[in-house]
Amino acid sequence: MNMKKWIAAAITCSALTLGACGGQSKDNAGAAPAAAGPDKVYRVAMNAEFAPFESLDSSGKVEGFDIDLMDAMSKAGNFKVEYKHQPWDSLFPALKNGDVDIVISGVTITEDRKQSMEFTDPYFEITQVVLVPKGKTITTSEDLKNLNRVGVVTGQTGDFSVSKLLGNDNPKIARFETVPLVVKELENGGLDAVVSDSAVIANYVKNNPAKGMDFITLPDFTVENYGIATRKGDEATVQMLNDALKKVRESGEYKQIKAKYFAEGAKK
């Protein structure tokens, strides 16, 4: 190849390289991600302060029902996952922005949330319950109106339920970042009651008998379902997860994982 042809070829290659780089930047700036290859690792986020669904062990590693379920699903569906613990209020923005691919964190499926994210088939059934010191009587949600302070976790379904009942800006509602924080405030006498998810509260009462707490199931609170969330429009990931969840259920492994964390009578 003579010098002129070599220079022309080099310029052409350079232009092609620059064009490819420019296209990559554009994709990263907001285009939908490419279809997953065999080596894709799905980034799974949760707030690991929601035992027994997700919590941190002594070494800082995430553990719990949701983790064991997702591990089983990834094996059944032949896909890879990595976990990330982060604050509850950052989970959905991280999903929307593409910082994570999946959120599994005891997320209740609601019509409002369906507007901004996709959900898998339900994988666990719960309801809201009221945690109170033993001896305190609450028979209906109307009784909550007579309490001085009712604790909830910001943005969780308990917050929505109490806000609907008392009014979103009612000063009687005390909002906290995590379940451990709101429960600790109740233990210290700073709250009259806490409203949160039944399985989580039942787990706390079971493992802390010396705290003198009990929980009450009210007929006013309806049954809810947890789902695994993905970005709006990411139907391929939803289908992958649904297929894997079905396999885990059919194999009997779901029941084994559930029995590890919940009493026989727990909702599923």
Side-chain angles (χ1 to χ4, degrees), residues 114-126:
K114 283 182 180 180
Q115 304 306 309
S116 58
M117 63 192 80
E118 304 290 345
F119 279 104
T120 62
D121 296 334
Y123 72 89
F124 203 91
E125 181 183 293
I126 59 97

Side-chain angles (χ1 to χ4, degrees), residues 148-217:
N148 292 322
R149 293 191 82 207
V150 180
V152 298
V153 176
T154 303
Q156 292 189 358
T157 317
D159 185 5
F160 302 153
S161 299
V162 176
S163 294
K164 183 178 181 180
L165 179 67
L166 303 183
N168 186 63
D169 298 324
N170 194 312
K172 290 186 176 183
I173 302 175
R175 295 182 172 88
F176 294 79
E177 293 182 2
T178 67
V179 170
L181 287 176
V182 69
V183 169
K184 178 60 68 175
E185 185 69 7
L186 179 64
E187 292 174 353
N188 293 337
L191 298 172
D192 297 304
V194 166
V195 177
S196 191
D197 294 15
S198 53
V200 174
I201 295 302
N203 179 72
Y204 161 78
V205 171
K206 175 184 176 182
N207 292 303
N208 296 275
K211 299 295 185 181
M213 297 292 173
D214 203 354
F215 67 93
I216 302 167
T217 301

Side-chain angles (χ1 to χ4, degrees), residues 1-15:
M1 180 182 293
N2 62 37
M3 184 59 69
K4 289 184 178 180
K5 289 183 178 180
W6 184 88
I7 293 174
I11 292 173
T12 300
C13 289
S14 176

Side-chain angles (χ1 to χ4, degrees), residues 18 20 49 62 76 83 90 94 96 98 112 116 142 150 225 248 251:
L18 289 173
E49 297 174 293
V62 293
Y83 298 113
S90 74
K96 182 178 180 180
D112 184 58
S116 58
E142 288 294 312
V150 180
N225 287 287
V248 172
S251 70

